[in-house]
Amino acid sequence: MDHLRDWIGRSESAEDVASPVALTGLAATLDHDNPPWPAGEVPPLGHWLYFLPKALQRDIAEDGHPHKGGFLPPVELPRRMWAGDTLTFHRPIRSGEAISRRSTIEEVTPKEGRSGRMVFVKVRHEISTAAGVAITEFHDIVYREAAKPGDAPVPGERPTGEAVWQRRIQPDPVLLFRYSALTFNGHRIHYDRDYCRDVEGYPGLVFHGPLSATMLMDLFLRENPGARVTGFRFRAKRPLFDIHPLTLCGVPTDTGATLWVTDHEGFVAMSAELEAERS
């Protein structure tokens, strides 16, 4: 897979407007009458509602993603997942502002793991307004081999501490559909149960990684309304499915919070660290 490294350094740019309509949809999906983020601002991680994919219908692959190639390297491994992110929030984005994004491929790293071949791709995004760079984001994508009969489940990891904040969520297809609609995400693992089971080998619809991260951010903001988030990093550890409940957990720290999601077995599905300035 050495040829995939030829994609390192490739860049693309996109323009958008921070539409308030998308933010209204996000607040509804997160079940808010009055969202806990500042009025008139895009909440942290809300920028994922913009710069949406615009592939033509004829360019969509079987899995619901655009065909491989173009900006991202044409990795032949069939399963693609959001592995994690590191974000720095430099300044707020106002609702209705014009925004731009410059994306650059920083790393392409083939690896061999317990589940077979993998390729990790790191993309740097800079989201800007007229005032300058508002968000710097390093987005980690992992490509994996197809599931095989008898594959062992992902090893479980228990939380290292007790949660101070907790919120239990029972996922359902409507929640996943609404978030897919907000982000114009056609990936079939989030809505096509037959495809999940028969092609990718999952037991249920897959809970979006960025939705898990957004809900962890939302947990913090519910407990700390008015706080100004300055940094956030998360790592996906174990898949979540719509057939089981999940629990959002958090502990305040001197600089922000330690956050995690546990699955129905009590294993950590996502871990995160957040930095914030409290008002």
Side-chain angles (χ1 to χ4, degrees):
M1 298 187 183
D2 287 347
H3 70 285
L4 297 176
R5 293 193 175 93
D6 293 343
W7 264 254
I8 294 173
R10 294 196 181 197
S11 296
E12 68 173 9
S13 298
E15 309 287 333
D16 209 336
V17 174
S19 165
V21 175
L23 302 182
T24 300
L26 179 64
T29 302
L30 296 175
D31 209 23
H32 287 302
D33 293 311
N34 298 297
W37 56 79
E41 289 187 9
V42 175
L45 306 186
H47 69 287
W48 290 339
L49 306 184
Y50 307 111
F51 311 109
L52 302 183
K54 299 178 177 66
L56 299 177
Q57 188 64 27
R58 64 176 175 267
D59 295 328
I60 299 298
E62 180 193 12
D63 64 358
H65 278 308
H67 289 292
K68 294 171 182 174
F71 174 63
L72 289 174
V75 180
E76 292 303 320
L77 302 177
R79 291 196 286 177
R80 183 170 90 186
M81 287 164 286
W82 196 313
D85 253 40
T86 299
L87 302 106
T88 302
F89 300 95
H90 305 286
R91 54 170 53 89
I93 297 174
R94 302 291 301 176
S95 175
E97 266 191 307
I99 49 178
S100 63
R101 185 183 70 185
R102 178 73 172 174
S103 302
T104 304
I105 296 177
E106 297 275 312
E107 298 175 14
V108 179
T109 310
K111 290 187 178 180
E112 194 83 22
R114 283 189 298 264
S115 59
R117 292 182 303 154
M118 297 182 290
V119 175
F120 290 86
V121 177
K122 184 182 292 290
V123 182
R124 176 189 175 98
H125 300 294
E126 287 188 334
I127 293 88
S128 302
T129 68
V133 177
I135 302 168
T136 302
E137 173 180 8
F138 290 92
H139 174 197
D140 293 316
I141 306 165
V142 61
Y143 297 83
R144 299 175 58 198
E145 292 182 355
K148 303 179 186 67
D151 277 352
V154 177
E157 174 185 316
R158 298 291 181 184
T160 57
E162 293 294 324
V164 174
W165 312 317
Q166 281 192 339
R167 184 169 177 235
R168 187 175 183 272
I169 303 291
Q170 177 58 63
D172 61 53
V174 176
L175 172 62
L176 301 189
F177 172 81
R178 295 179 87 185
Y179 190 75
S180 288
L182 279 172
T183 54
F184 202 44
N185 182 351
H187 198 181
R188 291 170 67 179
I189 63 173
H190 304 305
Y191 61 86
D192 187 335
R193 199 174 301 277
D194 291 340
Y195 176 86
C196 277
R197 180 187 61 245
D198 300 338
V199 178
E200 300 220 10
Y202 294 122
L205 300 179
V206 179
F207 199 83
H208 309 67
L211 180 55
S212 291
T214 297
M215 286 191 157
L216 285 178
M217 179 68 72
D218 184 62
L219 176 70
F220 175 80
L221 294 175
R222 286 171 182 261
E223 299 290 341
N224 300 271
R228 179 70 66 186
V229 176
T230 57
F232 188 64
R233 56 188 178 275
F234 68 88
R235 181 64 51 187
K237 295 179 175 288
R238 191 175 169 92
L240 294 165
F241 305 101
D242 73 322
I243 56 177
H244 299 300
L246 59 90
T247 305
L248 308 171
C249 304
V251 174
T253 66
D254 291 341
T255 57
T258 295
L259 303 156
W260 64 95
V261 184
T262 57
D263 63 16
H264 67 293
E265 297 179 290
F267 292 121
V268 176
M270 177 176 285
S271 61
E273 295 291 331
L274 181 149
E275 298 170 2
E277 300 170 354
R278 291 181 173 84
S279 58

